[in-house]
């Protein structure tokens, strides 16, 4: 291929912003007949080094993952500090927030998307990798998350 | 399993409401390096027999599908008459609208979801099958679509 692309077309997460993750997780578990997952809290800033709209942020959220074939349905409850999760809650309320792709070469992929009018809005580190949210609303109709595991 | 469930946990579609399907489809094709799909228009009422909020509707939309592994990313541009697609555009603008599951036994599944507080909001027929949208916003944080092929 002469043209570069995102390099991966497999959706690995569909994420939903929720107000009450414990209640929503029980409903997903019951309605789909899936085990109730552990609810996790994201790492603190010392580990994530997170940035939202180019500024450091102590953004935290609670997370729950349901394994459903090729992808996980991810529930996200924002619990403080500026983030794309909190902005979605403030502006749109609960609902679908992003789809995620596993990629390699984070810096190049983010630069590529920026060149296509899909700018970085949030990034951070997690144990064993890093994530980036890019705002694809104008070009693609959705926020995307890129995940790079070491 | 003693308890009934939806009977399927595999997400087969992630759908996005868009204002300008031709432009968005070109962007998806370019950014992900995927073939530009044909843009279709849904059948008219004589074929769909569609109902939205318990009333017949001549709802139409344009559709484009990108095959991305286990699932399709579906772009939907509502083009007239009341529907869950048009309601999403009016209330929230562009963005992720639903995730879809292939199921068997539409009537029983819809009744099951209704009993769990996830009510039917739209239904209709298509060539070879039928669909139902259920409003899982309160319980699950998202609209679901059920697809049943004959």
């Amino acid at each position: 291929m002469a043209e570069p692309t995102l390099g991966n077309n497999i959706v690995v997460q569909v994420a939903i912003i929720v107000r009450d993750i414990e209640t929503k997780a029980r409903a997903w578990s019951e309605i789909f007949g899936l085990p109730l997952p552990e609810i996790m809290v994201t790492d603190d800033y010392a580990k994530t080094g997170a940035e939202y709209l180019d500024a450091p942020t102590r953004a935290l959220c609670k997370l729950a993952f349901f394994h459903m074939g090729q992808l996980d349905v991810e529930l996200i409850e924002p619990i403080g500090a500026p983030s794309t999760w909190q902005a979605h809650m403030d502006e749109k309320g609960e609902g679908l927030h992003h789809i995620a792709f596993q990629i390699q070469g984070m810096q190049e992929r983010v630069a590529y998307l920026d060149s296509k009018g899909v700018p970085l809005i949030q990034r951070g580190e997690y144990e064993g990798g890093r994530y980036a949210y890019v705002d694809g609303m104008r070009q693609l109709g959705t926020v995307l998350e890129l995940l790079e595991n070491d």
Side-chain angles (χ1 to χ4, degrees), chain A residues 72-83:
Chain A
D72 288 352
V73 167
E74 176 185 20
L75 305 182
I76 303 175
E77 180 183 336
I79 52 172
S83 67

Side-chain angles (χ1 to χ4, degrees), chain A residues 12-18 20-29 34-42 61-68 71-78 98:
Chain A
V12 294
Q13 294 175 350
V14 174
I16 304 173
I17 301 292
V18 301
D20 50 345
I21 196 165
E22 288 81 4
T23 308
K24 288 283 193 311
R26 278 198 301 276
W28 274 91
S29 170
L34 294 167
L36 190 63
E38 185 193 358
I39 291 171
M40 294 170 279
V41 176
T42 50
C61 63
K62 293 185 185 179
L63 297 174
F65 294 92
F66 289 90
H67 308 307
M68 299 173 81
L71 60 79
D72 288 352
V73 167
E74 176 185 20
L75 305 182
I76 303 175
E77 180 183 336
H98 72 262

Side-chain angles (χ1 to χ4, degrees), chain A residues 27-52:
Chain A
W28 274 91
S29 170
E30 183 180 339
I31 288 174
F32 288 91
L34 294 167
L36 190 63
E38 185 193 358
I39 291 171
M40 294 170 279
V41 176
T42 50
D43 291 327
D44 62 19
Y45 180 76
K47 281 193 179 172
T48 65
E51 294 183 4
Y52 174 62

